[in-house]
Amino acid sequence: MEIDSLKKQLKSFDLALRAARQRQSPRTGFVHLHWGAEEGSDTIPIYENFCFVLALYRQKKLEAALEAKELLEKLFHFQSPEGNFPVYLHEYPRCRDRMQALKITPLLLQLLRRFSSILSPELKQKITSCIDRMLGSVTGDLSPFWSHRLAMCLGKGAIGQPDPAQLSPADWTEWLISAQLGETNGEIVTPLSATLFHPGMQVYTGPAQSDLQEGFEPRPSPIEWLWAERQGAFSERLGKDHPLQLHLAALWPWDTEADLLSHWHLASSDFSAIAWSPKPVGGHQLRILWSGKSLHSFVLPPLQCTTEIRKTKESNRLELLFDLPEEVDQGRNDLFEIAFYCDASSATALSINGRKGTAFQMGDLVSVSADGYEINLSFELVSGEGDFLGHLSRANRLTQVKKGGFEAYDWQIGLRTLRRAANIQIRAILTFGADLYT
């Protein structure tokens, strides 16, 4: 069977089961995985094994249901006396994640709701008891995000709506799991709009809060697989095996969506997309994505200075104003007060005034090009006195998840402070690829 044909037939929960089988131990029957060291791990994560249970039931086959029941019975033994579950089985009875109960509860509620007809009365009672004990273990103050999850688990209805500008792709996954608990008449209403997804690149292109980078490409998110499922096929990036696919077992496609974006600016062309906010947002204030042989990214991470981004008359040109702090942070070793990052894949090339180099001055043109797409950047001192030197160097962005060893997966375009006075303002002019504001 052709690989492309296979991808078209797969559903999200099929990917979840495939990911589970890839990591299932023939000796224990559990999924073995350790986040941060995904390859060859011998630890047993509790949440992902509950996802495995749900993925098996979603196959709607007798042998899968019997396997799921046996696995579920094993997992029940590792519920602590207080009602929570450990993150990894070997940590029992220590439960270091107080939100673990609120992560697992929706999976068991969906099991009762959607597969009640094939669950024995005895198993239903065990599931109900497990849920009650988990919810009873949730104490203390909760963030609005998890207060919403608790209310949905208790059947009290939704509390407020999320601000899309404040949620990362991972947050959206958790929010959707909560929203599904309030599903009525087969309809899930969520503010997760399709405007946040690029159908050609099959990637989340919305506000770039804490979006993770995995090697040279953005880390896949479960919501991307659900969006791609609507298209009937998965891209090469999403078609690959990935441990996060286990979490797809907890997700169902949503039906009704509302675009609640406020101050963010989003635009896209056939093979590129940009998201930026005029003011700092706590996460990436600007992110450009484009596709070629792989998925490329260029980002402005959170900085200690205040950054304002403005549109210009040219549709593919932005002006960035950096107001540096009154005093230089002497505790920093690098003194890069301004820095951009892009992927360092083999297709990515950086140049200074059209030539190879590693250091640049104010006014020099720094260019990033990959697979036919180009971004140009230059700096100038607007006000105040100071000396600055730019550097192109390999350095992982803060949201890079592959940080083991000595390999750097990103390029840093940094402006180093040599000496300066207070009240410094620096302007950067950024031009990028195709016209995205048509």
Side-chain angles (χ1 to χ4, degrees):
M1 181 181 291
E2 293 291 334
I3 292 178
D4 289 342
S5 175
L6 178 62
K7 290 179 183 176
K8 290 180 180 179
Q9 294 179 29
L10 288 175
K11 298 292 185 182
S12 299
F13 59 85
D14 292 322
L15 293 179
L17 183 61
R18 186 185 73 178
R21 293 297 193 201
Q22 292 275 7
R23 294 159 180 83
Q24 185 181 19
S25 166
R27 289 174 292 278
T28 68
F30 286 115
V31 165
H32 288 230
L33 172 69
H34 193 285
W35 293 104
E38 288 84 356
E39 301 299 327
S41 174
D42 59 358
T43 53
I44 300 173
I46 297 295
Y47 177 75
E48 282 71 22
N49 275 280
F50 274 107
C51 288
F52 184 20
V53 168
L54 199 51
L56 286 167
Y57 274 110
R58 292 186 69 173
Q59 298 302 307
K60 298 181 179 179
K61 297 178 180 179
L62 177 60
E63 60 272 20
L66 291 174
E67 182 182 1
K69 179 180 181 296
E70 181 180 354
L71 184 62
L72 190 59
E73 296 273 11
K74 292 180 181 178
L75 290 171
F76 286 151
H77 291 297
F78 296 95
Q79 187 171 21
S80 72
E82 293 75 23
N84 200 0
F85 280 89
V87 174
Y88 295 100
L89 185 146
H90 70 275
E91 296 175 340
Y92 177 83
R94 177 174 173 252
C95 301
R96 54 186 171 86
D97 183 0
R98 61 188 292 255
M99 296 300 105
Q100 178 83 324
L102 289 179
K103 294 175 184 177
I104 295 172
T105 295
L107 277 62
L108 296 185
L109 287 173
Q110 293 288 10
L111 188 58
L112 288 175
R113 173 189 292 183
R114 297 174 184 269
F115 303 98
S116 178
S117 62
I118 61 172
L119 301 178
S120 67
E122 180 185 6
L123 185 57
K124 287 180 186 178
Q125 179 57 43
K126 289 182 179 179
I127 295 172
T128 301
S129 175
C130 180
I131 292 172
D132 290 343
R133 291 174 61 199
M134 280 195 291
L135 294 179
S137 73
V138 180
T139 58
D141 295 333
L142 299 176
S143 67
F145 189 89
W146 291 107
S147 293
H148 171 259
R149 170 65 62 84
L150 178 59
M152 296 299 287
C153 288
L154 294 172
K156 295 182 178 180
I159 298 177
Q161 289 287 1
D163 178 358
Q166 299 300 318
L167 298 183
S168 68
D171 291 336
W172 273 121
T173 298
E174 294 294 345
W175 185 273
L176 186 57
I177 290 173
S178 298
Q180 290 171 163
L181 297 176
E183 178 185 3
T184 58
N185 300 321
E187 183 179 82
I188 301 171
V189 180
T190 170
L192 189 57
S193 170
T195 59
L196 307 182
F197 180 74
H198 192 291
M201 296 188 289
Q202 291 196 346
V203 63
Y204 173 86
T205 57
Q209 288 280 35
S210 304
D211 58 317
L212 300 178
Q213 186 80 355
E214 190 168 53
F216 301 121
E217 294 187 307
R219 187 175 208 178
S221 168
I223 57 173
E224 292 175 341
W225 278 296
L226 261 68
W227 266 314
E229 184 180 324
R230 293 181 178 185
Q231 297 179 244
F234 299 102
S235 66
E236 181 178 354
R237 169 174 163 266
L238 296 183
K240 297 176 182 176
D241 171 67
H242 197 284
L244 278 173
Q245 291 170 342
L246 281 157
H247 296 179
L248 292 170
L251 293 169
W252 277 261
W254 62 91
D255 304 287
T256 304
E257 56 193 32
D259 189 354
L260 298 183
L261 287 172
S262 52
H263 62 276
W264 273 83
H265 296 262
L266 307 180
S268 63
S269 64
D270 289 344
F271 301 103
S272 62
I274 185 171
W276 61 275
S277 170
K279 302 294 183 182
V281 292
H284 290 157
Q285 193 172 343
L286 174 145
R287 182 177 65 161
I288 300 174
L289 299 170
W290 70 99
S291 63
K293 296 180 180 178
S294 60
L295 187 60
H296 303 282
S297 63
F298 177 93
V299 301
L300 174 66
L303 303 174
Q304 292 185 359
C305 61
T306 301
T307 308
E308 180 183 358
I309 303 180
R310 300 174 179 174
K311 291 177 65 174
T312 65
K313 292 181 180 180
E314 295 85 356
S315 58
N316 63 334
R317 177 184 172 102
L318 293 174
E319 178 185 64
L320 297 87
L321 294 174
F322 301 95
D323 291 304
L324 304 189
E326 287 287 324
E327 298 181 359
V328 178
D329 184 357
Q330 299 297 336
R332 296 182 58 180
N333 295 321
D334 54 25
L335 289 184
F336 283 113
E337 296 191 85
I338 301 173
F340 294 82
Y341 291 86
C342 67
D343 65 272
S345 68
S346 59
T348 304
L350 275 65
S351 64
I352 300 169
N353 297 326
R355 298 181 178 181
K356 291 184 178 180
T358 57
F360 62 90
Q361 306 287 339
M362 289 286 194
D364 287 344
L365 185 67
V366 178
S367 299
V368 177
S369 61
D371 291 325
Y373 192 90
E374 186 169 281
I375 296 172
N376 293 308
L377 181 67
S378 63
F379 298 91
E380 63 176 329
L381 183 62
V382 177
S383 62
E385 296 182 356
D387 295 321
F388 304 88
L389 182 63
H391 292 270
L392 307 181
S393 57
R394 296 288 286 269
N396 287 321
R397 65 188 81 183
L398 292 177
T399 57
Q400 176 63 251
V401 297
K402 286 192 174 182
K403 293 182 179 180
F406 299 98
E407 185 170 4
Y409 296 91
D410 300 301
W411 281 106
Q412 181 192 67
I413 304 171
L415 194 63
R416 182 194 298 270
T417 299
L418 301 179
R419 62 191 64 84
R420 69 171 176 84
N423 301 318
I424 293 289
Q425 186 177 73
I426 293 174
R427 177 190 290 118
I429 300 298
L430 179 74
T431 60
F432 46 89
D435 185 344
L436 295 177
Y437 292 103
T438 55

